[in-house]
Amino acid sequence: MPDGDPLKADLHVHSTFSDGRNTIEENVEEAEGLGLWALTCVDHVRVGTDWVPEYAAAVKRVAAETPVRLRCGIEAKLLDTSGRLDMPDDLPDGVDVVYAADHQVPMRDGTHHPREVKVDLQEGRLREHEVLEDIVTSTINALTGHRQVVIAHLFSILPKIGLDEANVPLDLIERLAEATARTGAIVEVSERWRCPSVRTLRPFLEAGATIVASTDSHRRETIGRYEYCAEVLGALGVVNGDRPAEGAG
Ligand SMILES: [Zn+2]
Ligand SMILES: [Zn+2]
């Protein structure tokens, strides 16, 4: 999917189709102004969402009128360790990519609210390793059986349940990284959530998985503005130095 400078693209931007403040047209106008070469529209769906065809058609319409490479994405939460996602069964062809997100804690028996999981961990009813294992297993299983998958803001759930990304066992991360590379999935570095870390992403790089930058913007003013992503991709050697190279590659 990515070919140009990852920091001159933004592959996770919300619009008024879900909880974004700006329309697809306004977001694309912003991307054009910044000279971005690619933008992926991403809006939140649930299993009962009925506007996906209309949304995909709107993205297609705007894509025909801009030099920015526009993709249509939907973001759905991970539901359980089977890898089920909270999205409609039948997606129109116009949807290019599915963002699998840890908005709740996906476990064997379904999603759990982060607050509950935090208390269960503190009071010893759950063990850290089990919870991490379930999150990673859910993500791995979500990579197959769907079209192009992006792992959205990987491990953004951990601070909410009182865990630190730095303590996730490397073998778990390596399993996820290998599955990501094997399935041709993509992992994003999220400016909004400031995750995943360099330590988490290194196994992805070594496995040959594609890493992209995104802001998870909900308003046009934050589109394509990177600090955390520039730092992380610089440290990984995916981009040169601490500032992105000029040009659209
Ligand atoms: Zn999200
Ligand atoms: Zn999002």
Side-chain angles (χ1 to χ4, degrees):
M1 168 147 119
D3 1 70
D5 181 344
L7 296 176
K8 296 296 275 181
D10 193 338
L11 304 192
H12 189 152
V13 174
H14 290 272
S15 80
T16 47
F17 270 92
S18 61
D19 57 353
R21 195 185 299 166
N22 294 104
T23 62
I24 294 169
E25 288 84 351
E26 289 165 341
N27 290 338
V28 168
E29 189 180 86
E30 188 69 27
E32 287 174 356
L34 293 166
L36 302 189
W37 64 273
L39 183 102
T40 302
C41 303
V42 178
D43 275 301
H44 294 287
V45 300
R46 308 194 64 162
V47 67
T49 299
D50 59 5
W51 46 257
V52 178
E54 190 189 336
Y55 165 63
V59 175
K60 193 175 173 188
R61 218 164 33 237
V62 179
E65 317 244 294
T66 176
V68 179
R69 201 193 65 187
L70 209 58
R71 292 275 194 267
C72 178
I74 55 169
E75 179 170 12
K77 76 172 172 299
L78 292 155
L79 289 174
D80 56 38
T81 50
S82 76
R84 270 192 321 129
L85 293 169
D86 189 2
M87 65 183 206
D89 290 331
D90 292 312
L91 290 181
D93 288 341
V95 176
D96 304 303
V97 54
V98 173
Y99 285 63
D102 55 355
H103 292 151
Q104 301 236 320
V105 186
M107 300 186 72
R108 244 150 302 191
D109 58 346
T111 52
H112 290 248
H113 197 281
R115 233 175 0 242
E116 281 167 37
V117 174
K118 187 175 184 176
V119 172
D120 286 345
L121 281 165
Q122 279 164 351
E123 296 179 356
R125 283 187 297 273
L126 280 173
R127 278 173 309 176
E128 178 169 339
H129 189 79
E130 293 172 338
V131 175
L132 292 173
E133 176 89 32
D134 278 4
I135 293 170
V136 168
T137 303
S138 304
T139 310
I140 289 174
N141 288 333
L143 300 180
T144 50
H146 299 289
R147 56 192 80 183
Q148 176 74 71
V149 176
V150 174
I151 304 172
H153 45 67
L154 175 62
F155 295 146
S156 69
I157 193 81
L158 297 188
K160 300 178 194 169
I161 58 176
L163 300 183
D164 186 342
E165 191 184 334
N167 297 332
V168 179
L170 269 180
D171 63 302
L172 267 188
I173 298 174
E174 283 162 3
R175 250 170 57 203
L176 179 54
E178 280 154 22
T180 304
R182 189 177 64 243
T183 57
I186 289 170
V187 62
E188 68 171 2
V189 196
S190 177
E191 187 66 30
R192 179 173 184 220
W193 296 94
R194 301 180 72 82
C195 67
S197 65
V198 172
R199 171 185 179 269
T200 296
L201 287 168
R202 211 179 292 282
F204 284 86
L205 195 65
E206 284 163 4
T210 301
I211 304 173
V212 301
S214 60
T215 60
D216 202 350
S217 283
H218 288 66
R219 54 192 181 92
R220 65 185 288 176
E221 289 82 4
T222 56
I223 292 172
R225 274 79 164 181
Y226 296 117
E227 280 176 29
Y228 178 75
C229 292
E231 237 171 73
V232 167
L233 294 180
L236 288 168
V238 173
V239 297
N240 305 324
D242 32 43
R243 262 313 303 158
E246 290 301 314

